[in-house]
Amino acid sequence: MHHNKMHSADDGRISLGLPPAMKQHQLANMRAHVEAVRSIVGLISEGSFDKASHIAHSKLGLTEEMKKMCNMFENKDFKDLGLAFHKSGDTLGEALKTKDITKSLDALHTTMGYCVQCHATFRQ
C-alpha cells in the first residue's frame, strides 16, 4: 500500500493547506505529543505521577509557545481544537498530581479524544 493513498482526494478530511516547512513542523509537533503520551503512560505504570504531571504540563499543556503556534492557523475549528487539546493537557497534569489512577486515566482519555477528533477531521 502506498502512503500517498492516505492523502487522496477522497480522504474526506479537511486539508489545512500548509506550506511544506510548516507541514513538517506541525507533523514533528504531533509526533512529540504522541511520545509525551507514551512517556506519561509509562510513568503512570511506574507510579511516577509527579514526573508524568510535569510532562503533561510542559509537553502537552497550553504553554505560551503552544498558544502562539495554535493561533497561527487560519482554520478556526482547527485552532479551537488545538487550544482545547492543550488545555486538556494542563487538566491532565493536574489530575496526575492527585496520584489517583482513575482520575488520571480519565483525563488522559479526554486528551486523547482531542487527538482522535482532530485526526478524523483534518489532514496536513
Side-chain angles (χ1 to χ4, degrees):
M1 176 178 252
H2 297 284
H3 291 290
N4 63 356
K5 278 221 174 241
M6 292 175 58
H7 295 289
S8 66
D10 62 351
D11 185 306
R13 295 177 295 157
I14 299 165
S15 173
L16 294 173
L18 301 177
M22 192 170 180
K23 175 181 177 178
Q24 291 309 313
H25 180 74
Q26 182 63 19
L27 291 170
N29 281 338
M30 289 185 292
R31 287 189 293 271
H33 295 150
V34 171
E35 179 54 36
V37 169
R38 180 185 167 278
S39 295
I40 289 166
V41 169
L43 290 166
I44 289 171
S45 75
E46 296 170 2
S48 299
F49 288 89
D50 290 335
K51 288 181 183 176
S53 174
H54 174 74
I55 290 173
H57 282 296
S58 64
K59 304 293 185 184
L60 302 178
L62 190 58
T63 63
E64 286 303 314
E65 179 185 5
M66 288 298 144
K67 193 181 299 183
K68 183 179 175 183
M69 273 195 271
C70 287
N71 284 319
M72 289 175 50
F73 289 94
E74 292 178 16
N75 184 300
K76 183 181 179 337
D77 292 335
F78 181 80
K79 182 187 311 185
D80 291 346
L81 195 53
L83 292 169
F85 164 78
H86 288 295
K87 287 176 187 174
S88 80
D90 286 323
T91 300
L92 170 59
E94 293 306 306
L96 288 160
K97 285 181 183 179
T98 69
K99 298 179 178 18
D100 181 314
I101 195 158
T102 301
K103 285 182 184 178
S104 297
L105 290 176
D106 185 52
L108 181 58
H109 179 259
T110 298
T111 297
M112 293 300 301
Y114 287 113
C115 298
V116 170
Q117 182 182 354
C118 190
H119 284 268
T121 306
F122 299 99
R123 66 183 174 92
Q124 302 301 318

